[in-house]
Amino acid sequence: MTMEYEKTRAWTSPDVRHAYTAKDTILYALGLGIGADPLDPVQLRFTYERNLVAMPTMAAVLASPGFWMRDRPELGIDYTKLVHGEQRVTLHRPLAPEGTLIGRSRVVGIADKGAGKGALMHVEKTLSDEASGALVATSEQVLFLRGDGGFANVGGGDAPAPALPATPERAPDVELDLPTRPDAALLYRLSGDVNPLHVDPAFAARAGFARPILHGLATYGIAGWGLVRAFCDGDPARLTSIAARLSAPVYPGETLRLEAWREGGEVAFRCRVVERDVVVLSHGRARC
């Protein structure tokens, strides 16, 4: 079945109301490995109710519409071949450690790569404070639909989302190693993504992996934590945007090495797995 471009392009979610608590904020931080040193006062700010602060990357998981492609078979999307390609979060104001947000998601573009080559779908989610209506954050994801190329031949297609710039060729200005816990995926999935790929060894084997892999958004969040530590003096309010390409999977227990460069008012970054020397997060850009 060919993807129905017009119907998919017009998709918008109903309002998603998400009331989250300090417990949710702490659990998200623990899923990123924050709190590994329980005596570190910076890490305690993310894992202790007193003077609690939230990681900006949590905006990617709050008030999301769920796996809507699976629930809309009339769109013709082969969701079994979907890959999360890029993630971007922009904070319009600091994310509160608890509150109620309204999420509104929509498809803002679908680029056809051609028959047999897949398509790129750009989905935007806005988060607004329920009480005031103020815009808190914009979260964008680029999804690689590996099984849905060629639809433009039957009447549709958009320009792709703007490409993220490559990282510099010179040596990094900052390198920071960020170990992940062996049970990182078990913790992170409690923030909302319960895909069995991240917990069930048999399911992961059928998907071609040696064991369950870490969530891509967990890798993204860990990179955000590294940037807060290295460039924001531990203050998450200073990290106002973060974008990256999810380029390869991570196995829980591996060590991520954040490599970062100051580029004017931005930070360019990538992450590689130390044990396998594989870049798992690329084309990173952040403002902090």
Side-chain angles (χ1 to χ4, degrees), residues 86 88 120 122 142 159-166 243-245 282-285:
E86 295 180 3
R88 314 173 191 211
L120 296 172
H122 186 185
V142 176
L164 293 170
R245 183 174 298 170
S282 67
H283 297 72
R285 289 280 159 162

Side-chain angles (χ1 to χ4, degrees), residues 16 23 25 34 42 49 134 184 189 211 214 236 266:
V16 177
K23 181 179 179 181
T25 297
I34 304 173
V42 175
E49 296 86 344
R189 70 190 299 269
R211 59 185 189 274
L214 188 60
E266 293 187 327

Side-chain angles (χ1 to χ4, degrees), residues 33-266:
I34 304 173
D37 180 356
L39 301 182
D40 178 3
V42 175
Q43 295 184 56
L44 279 176
R45 295 189 67 211
F46 297 86
T47 54
Y48 180 30
E49 296 86 344
R50 189 174 69 184
N51 301 319
L52 182 66
V53 293
M55 274 296 298
T57 51
M58 190 168 68
V61 303
L62 293 174
S64 293
F67 201 1
W68 57 270
M69 290 77 76
R70 179 186 57 194
D71 300 330
R72 295 288 302 274
E74 73 275 12
L75 300 180
I77 298 173
D78 187 353
Y79 62 84
T80 64
K81 296 182 179 179
L82 180 153
V83 175
H84 193 162
E86 295 180 3
Q87 181 66 45
R88 314 173 191 211
V89 166
T90 301
L91 278 297
H92 307 289
R93 61 193 64 231
L95 187 64
E98 55 187 344
T100 301
L101 298 174
I102 303 297
R104 299 181 178 94
S105 299
R106 65 189 182 109
V107 173
V108 296
I110 313 171
D112 191 351
K113 295 172 67 69
K117 298 180 180 179
L120 296 172
M121 182 163 65
H122 186 185
V123 182
E124 176 192 84
K125 177 185 71 179
T126 58
L127 295 175
S128 301
D129 179 70
E130 182 184 53
S132 67
L135 181 63
V136 175
T138 301
S139 175
E140 302 169 81
Q141 53 181 200
V142 176
L143 304 174
F144 182 26
L145 309 179
R146 295 180 296 159
D148 295 298
F151 65 85
N153 296 330
V154 290
D158 301 296
L164 293 170
T167 46
E169 296 294 332
R170 69 181 189 275
D173 299 324
V174 171
E175 289 187 348
L176 178 64
D177 284 355
L178 301 160
T180 67
R181 298 167 52 119
D183 61 353
L186 300 181
L187 280 170
Y188 185 84
R189 70 190 299 269
L190 299 178
S191 290
D193 187 342
V194 295
N195 186 333
L197 177 63
H198 307 294
V199 66
D200 186 334
F203 189 96
R206 290 196 297 272
F209 297 102
R211 59 185 189 274
I213 61 173
L214 188 60
H215 306 68
L217 282 183
T219 303
Y220 172 82
I222 293 167
W225 164 234
L227 292 168
V228 167
R229 285 179 57 184
F231 294 95
C232 304
D233 293 326
D235 180 4
R238 290 174 53 183
L239 182 63
T240 57
S241 71
I242 174 173
R245 183 174 298 170
L246 311 177
S247 53
V250 174
Y251 291 106
E254 294 183 320
T255 301
L256 297 179
R257 177 166 293 160
L258 175 70
E259 302 171 339
W261 297 258
R262 269 290 183 193
E263 291 276 287
E266 293 187 327

